[in-house]
Each structure stands twice: as C-alpha cells, then as structure tokens.
Amino acid sequence: MVVVTPGIDFIARGLVIVGIPPALLVIAARSLAASYNFPIPTWVLVTTSLLIVPLLSAAHIVTTSFAKRRRAAALGARLAPEIEGTAIGNLDMLKKMRTLWETGYPADGMMETFGEKGPAFNMRIMWSDLIFTAHPDHIKLILATDFNNYVKGSRFHKTMFSVLGSGVFNSDGDMWKFHRSMTRPFFTRDRISDFELFDRHADTAIAHIKERMRSGQPIDFQDLMSRFTLDSASEFLFGTCVHSLTAGLPYPHNASYVPPESKTPQAARADQFARAFLESQEVISSRERYGWIWPLAEIWGDKTKEPMKIVNAYLDPIIQEAIEKQKAAAKTEQFEKKAESNVTDGETLIDHLVRLSSDPVVLRDETLNIMIAGRDTTAATLTFIVYFLAMYPAVFKRLREEILDKVGPTERPGYDDIKDMKYLRAVINETLRLFPIVPFNTREAINETTWPSPDPTKKPIYIPAGTKVPYSVFLMHRRKDLWGPDAEEFDPDRFLDERLKKYLMKNAFIFLPFNAGPRICLGQQFAYNEMSFMVIRFLQQFSSISLDEDAVPPESRPPAEWAQAAGRKSIERVWPKIHLTMYASGGLWVRMKEADTSA
Ligand code: HEM
C-alpha cells in the first residue's frame, strides 16, 4: 500500500494549486493559436507561465488589502497596526519569533511590540493576517460574548488530528457540542471530589520523595507530578492505572550515585506509554510552531505514527472491553441508555461514554483528549506552585500554617476543608496568573467583525473574515495597567486584599487561566481539587522545600544574561518553556525536609 505522508500530500496539493494557472494559460494559448492561427512564441509562453502565479498572487494581495481598507472605513473602523519586518512576507519576524520561542523567556519580544503598537497588532506573516491580542475586551469577545463567530478552525484541526482526532479539544460546531455534552455530566461534584483516588497516588509520590531525600539526592518534582497525574488520570478515566510512579524515577545529571535499573515488565510498559504519550504531544505542538508549512517537516512520514501506535495499543483493549461489557449488560436489560445526569457511582469515563456511543473512534478520541487536557496542565501547575513555595519561604510558612490549622498534620483533607482554605486558593491562583499553563491560544474569526480600540481615542479595529486571532493570557496576566505596578511580583495576597476589588472584581476577564465562555475548561474544579489535595499532603509531610539548581542540566538553566533583563525574567530560577503547555525546562529539582508529624 502506498503511504502518503503529510509532506507529500502537502507538496502534491501545492503543485496542483500552483500548476492550474499555467496549465490554463497554455490551454488558452493553444486554442487561440488553433482558432485564429495566432502562434504564440514559446519563450513568451514559458515566461508568462513562470510569472503567472507570482503576478496573480501579487494582484490578490493588493486587491484584498484595498478591499479590507474599504470595509474597515465603511464600518467606521481601522486596520490593526502591523509589525514591519525587513524580509519579504515578514519572514524575518517569523524566524525571530521561532528563535525567541526556543531560546527566550515566554513572550520575549512581544512586550516590546506592545509598547510600540498597543496590546493588539497584526503580525501578517506571508501576507496572511494574524491579529494578536492580549486585551481583555477582545478575549472576552472571542471566548464569550461573540463566541459563535470564532472557531479553532480547519488548520488547527488538521494539525492536531493525528493525535487528538475529533475529540472535544479539537472540534468545532456540532461535533464539539456532541463531545462536550457527552463528557460534561461525568464531571459532577461527587466524582471530582474522589479524594480516595488522589490519596493513594499521593501516598506513593510522597514515599518516593522521602526515599530520595533519605538517599541524600534531589528529586525532579516535575517528573514526579507528571507520573502522579498520569496514574490518577488513567485510573479516573479508564479504571486502569498506568503505574508510571513505579517505573523508576530519574536521577540528576550530577548524581553522586545512580542505582542499577531493574524494571518490572509492568514498569517498563508504563515508561513506554508515558514516553510515547509525551512524544505525540511534542510533535503536534512543534507542528503548531511551524505554522501552515508544518507538513514539510514530515516529508518522510507522520511523526506521530509510532508513538500513537503505543498509545493506542494501551487504550484500544480498554475501550473494547468497555464496549463488550456494555453490550452484555444491554442484552440482559440491566442497563438502559441513561440520560445525561445519570452517571453512576464508581463509573469511569469510558463506562459512562459507552452508554452514549459504541464507536471506538469517538470513544478513543474523547478519552485521549480529556487525558491530554487534564494531565500536563495539573502536573505543570503543581510544579510551578512548588517552585514558588521554594522561592518564597514566607508564603510557604503561611500556607503550611493554614494547612496545619484547618486540616492538621496527618488527617486526609476533604472537599469542605479545601473550600475553606482561602490562602491555599490564593497561592494556586497567583501561580496560575504568572504561569498560566496554556499561555498562548488561538481562534479564527468566521465573519468580519470589529474589536473595540484599546486606545479609546482611536477607531475600533477591523477583523476580516477568516483572520487567525492568537491571544495570550500570559501577557494579559502580567499587564501593569490591569493588575497594578507590582504585576510581575508573586504575591498571593492580591487575591485577598483591596487589590482584588480594585482590579479583578472590576473586570473578571483579566484572569483567564481556564479560558471562559462555552468552552471554559471542563476540568477546572477537578484541577483545583486535585492540586489543593496534593499541596496539602505535601505541606503536611514536609517542613521546607529548596531548589537544587546544580541538579538542572546546564543547558536548561536560565541564561546568565537574564539577570540584566526587566521584570520577573531577571529573578527566575527555572527556565519556563512551552510545548502544548508550559513547563520547567530540565525539570524542577528540589530537596525537601521531612516534617516531624509525631506531635
Ligand atoms: C491547572 C489545570 C488546568 C488548566 C490551567 C486548564 C486550562 C484549560 C484551558 C485554558 C482550556 C481551553 C483550551 C482551548 O480552548 O483551546 C481548557 C480546556 C479543557 N480542559 Fe482544562 N485545564 C486544566 C485542567 C484540566 C483537567 C484536570 C481536565 C480534565 C480532567 C481538563 C479538561 C479540559 C477539557 C475537556 C477542555 C476542553 C473544553 C472544550 O473545548 O470545550 N482540564 N483547559
């Protein structure tokens, strides 16, 4: 069987598009020559065939620019300010952004552009509009008040399809409604407060930390949390734990002693699954960064194919078993198709979904989407919480006091304890403000529209139909005009003192770590519960945390020149990077001191 790779498909389509105008030209010239005996010299035909595509493209660019200007004027609006690169099609800007993305601090370069152009500007790469915003009024329109005019879009869908399929994360319109309404009933309060499940995995994670600390070596907290959330999510969603916490934790590059590896077959399988799961996500996030030409990086094959084989080999038998179980139950008439709200106790997401669909593709897409949406996000947020607790001992101390006061040194926290812990919630929110785990996102405008001008003395901004509108909550969360002069400082009290009224209560759309509107994160409450539970368990068991920066591989440490930069960048002690979500490059290596819980 001939396998068409994404790259070959892309080139073939491109050749068809680029080949049609010259082909039509040659046909027209031949028929002209035959009908009117008017031979066209070959050199003229060859030259015009070569020039026709660039000429048509230039004409298209000029006429559409003109039409946009006229439409903007007709609507009493203006075009978005454009960034001006020096290379054709602003390709130099694309290159610069890619380099900054890989070697800089998140959003490097963008703050400066904001200073010049304001919080919304057109990056216009290859003459295609890309109107970027970090303005709450625009983000509110995109996500909530004009929700129906914005989609993730077909390009996003195609880029992500080989991993996310058409699941809730990667669909629009009716398909998205179908997936969302299927899954939503599963996230009821009772289900997302299943602390017994968190507790078992938290115990294992804490035991690993203690063992590592007793051996005198640091632990990569980020890696530990990725395993904790993978095990909790797989059990919560499929009823089968991946057991990645048992698969042998990494040692630092400068370890004084690394015990010989002895993996059980189960641990080896867990490792293989976790690696394949990560690799498939890394591939699709790098596709996003290449933009629409990403298939050219996959000329020889779809890079998600091999890792997805491993992921699917894990998921498919679970799905098949759930379908069989449902079929058998239906035969004995034990079950009827249940209405949305009837999610029964002890049921996993798969058990719930098979009552609504028996299509294995729908089931796989949906469960995998939820796992991707819910796993790295919580793991990375927990990592950044611990990073801040290590950096700010006064916050650590106050939070620990709240925990010991409300829950005690050993008791298992419950839903009501968590609800009551204001400082804990403030610490989590302040972490999500400075490190929102989905820092950049994107949508596409279906119809033309206008956005209010960030500068009230100027006309609204015109958004043409089909425009890509990337937006960044990372930048918005750090704007001094929205959060006050100390916006770049880590200070959980801003969610508790008069600043709350002054900033956030005036405009809730300045804080959007979970998005907003109809596509708001489905797992928000689950995430708050899981993270709160885990932080409480840690602070009950450990009385201090410190960063071990020497354990971070040298190439992953914040570059020395950052010390001269403005804002948080100058004090950062990890290198925050972004693939689909934000993470600490090289891991978060920490040492923790065990608390004396005997008293
Ligand atoms: C700190 C933790 C989390 C953060 C910061 C977070 C953030 C987000 C954000 C920003 C989106 C919007 C993405 C977009 O529209 O492109 C989203 C969507 C989503 N999240 Fe979360 N999330 C977290 C945890 C979770 C968890 C634990 C789950 C489930 C177990 C989950 C399930 C989902 C789902 C299903 C969507 C797609 C909603 C839709 O498109 O209708 N999330 N999340």
Side-chain angles (χ1 to χ4, degrees), residues 272-290:
Q272 200 194 22
F273 175 81
R275 251 190 258 132
F277 189 56
L278 177 68
E279 194 185 331
S280 59
Q281 290 174 70
E282 277 173 348
V283 173
I284 52 175
S285 76
S286 94
R287 285 178 181 174
E288 256 301 273
R289 288 201 296 283
Y290 275 113

Side-chain angles (χ1 to χ4, degrees), residues 25-34 37-48:
L25 186 81
V26 170
I27 293 167
R30 290 248 162 96
S31 59
L32 198 69
N37 196 18
F38 181 67
I40 297 173
T42 309
W43 69 268
V44 173
L45 209 53
V46 171
T47 315
T48 44

Side-chain angles (χ1 to χ4, degrees), residues 78 119 135 137 451-460 479:
R78 64 187 163 106
H135 195 54
D137 293 353
W451 285 351
S453 172
D455 175 350
T457 64
K458 290 189 178 162
K459 287 181 183 170
R479 277 178 58 176

Side-chain angles (χ1 to χ4, degrees), residues 223-368:
D223 172 80
L224 189 75
M225 286 305 94
S226 298
R227 291 166 193 265
F228 162 72
T229 49
L230 183 61
D231 287 1
S232 318
S234 55
E235 189 171 339
F236 177 70
L237 302 174
F238 317 132
T240 314
C241 175
V242 173
H243 292 295
S244 63
L245 275 169
T246 63
L249 306 184
Y251 279 78
H253 72 103
N254 59 349
S256 47
Y257 165 73
V258 179
E261 239 186 56
S262 64
K263 276 202 178 114
T264 61
Q266 184 195 41
R269 263 199 313 278
D271 231 13
Q272 200 194 22
F273 175 81
R275 251 190 258 132
F277 189 56
L278 177 68
E279 194 185 331
S280 59
Q281 290 174 70
E282 277 173 348
V283 173
I284 52 175
S285 76
S286 94
R287 285 178 181 174
E288 256 301 273
R289 288 201 296 283
Y290 275 113
W292 59 278
I293 54 166
W294 71 262
L296 292 178
E298 295 184 37
I299 288 271
W300 306 116
D302 181 337
K303 289 185 179 164
T304 61
K305 202 170 161 190
E306 288 308 313
M308 283 309 287
K309 251 193 216 161
I310 296 169
V311 171
N312 291 339
Y314 169 77
L315 281 182
D316 288 346
I318 298 172
I319 290 167
Q320 213 44 53
E321 192 188 322
I323 294 174
E324 297 305 326
K325 216 166 79 187
Q326 165 63 15
K327 273 191 198 150
K331 262 194 210 143
T332 56
E333 292 185 342
Q334 279 174 355
F335 278 37
E336 308 140 36
K337 282 218 162 190
K338 290 196 180 161
E340 278 203 346
S341 55
N342 291 346
V343 180
T344 50
D345 277 352
E347 212 180 41
T348 64
L349 178 69
I350 291 264
D351 292 336
H352 164 66
L353 293 177
V354 286
R355 289 205 262 100
L356 305 168
S357 168
S358 55
D359 180 342
V361 177
V362 169
L363 297 169
R364 192 176 63 204
D365 285 356
E366 196 51 21
T367 36
L368 196 64

Side-chain angles (χ1 to χ4, degrees), residues 143 152 156 168-171 176 180 183 187 233 236-237 366 369-371 373-379 381-382 428 432 435-438 441-443 471 473 512-516 518-524 526-528 530-531:
L143 299 179
K152 294 211 166 180
F156 182 89
V168 64
F169 222 46
N170 194 31
S171 50
W176 165 71
R180 182 145 178 133
T183 310
F187 288 87
F236 177 70
L237 302 174
E366 196 51 21
N369 273 242
I370 305 286
M371 184 123 144
R375 188 249 178 151
D376 280 353
T377 45
T378 27
T381 307
L382 279 163
I428 296 176
L432 285 167
F435 288 120
I437 297 307
V438 186
N441 210 326
T442 186
R443 293 290 191 268
Y471 62 92
V473 297
L512 299 176
F514 294 97
N515 251 18
R519 278 195 104 135
I520 194 168
C521 172
L522 212 47
Q524 175 173 352
F526 178 89
Y528 272 125
E530 184 177 14
M531 296 187 301

